[in-house]
Amino acid sequence: MRMTTRILAASVLGLALAGAATPAMADDDPATGGVDVSVNIQPTTTPGQLSMTVADNNGVSLQENGSDAAARQFTGTLPTVTVTDTR
């Protein structure tokens, strides 16, 4: 009998809490005074660009240095590379 009473009490409490939450959720309904949210986004008028430039150089000369059976390694100086993104 005690278990049945506890289950009944928990069910009644659950229904009461669900009923109490319903009016709070109804306040978000636009028909009953909800909040209007709008955003104006201006379209872009000029497209951006993604570009890469390599500084002037006389070519790249790499020398093998430190290679072994598992990997080949090279040393040398590479030209400066610049990436620009205006998108």
Side-chain angles (χ1 to χ4, degrees):
M1 179 89 169
R2 283 185 170 178
M3 183 59 89
T4 304
T5 304
R6 287 182 183 173
I7 292 173
L8 182 59
S11 298
V12 171
L13 179 60
L15 289 172
L17 290 174
T22 303
M25 286 185 242
D27 288 344
D28 292 336
D29 185 4
T32 61
V35 176
D36 180 32
V37 176
S38 62
V39 176
N40 291 324
I41 299 174
Q42 298 297 323
T44 57
T45 56
T46 56
Q49 294 180 348
L50 175 63
S51 62
M52 179 177 78
T53 58
V54 180
D56 288 337
N57 64 79
N58 293 328
V60 176
S61 177
L62 301 176
Q63 291 78 35
E64 191 166 4
N65 182 6
S67 295
D68 59 24
R72 295 185 70 187
Q73 297 181 21
F74 295 84
T75 59
T77 302
L78 299 175
T80 300
V81 175
T82 303
V83 176
T84 305
D85 189 352
T86 61
R87 295 178 289 178

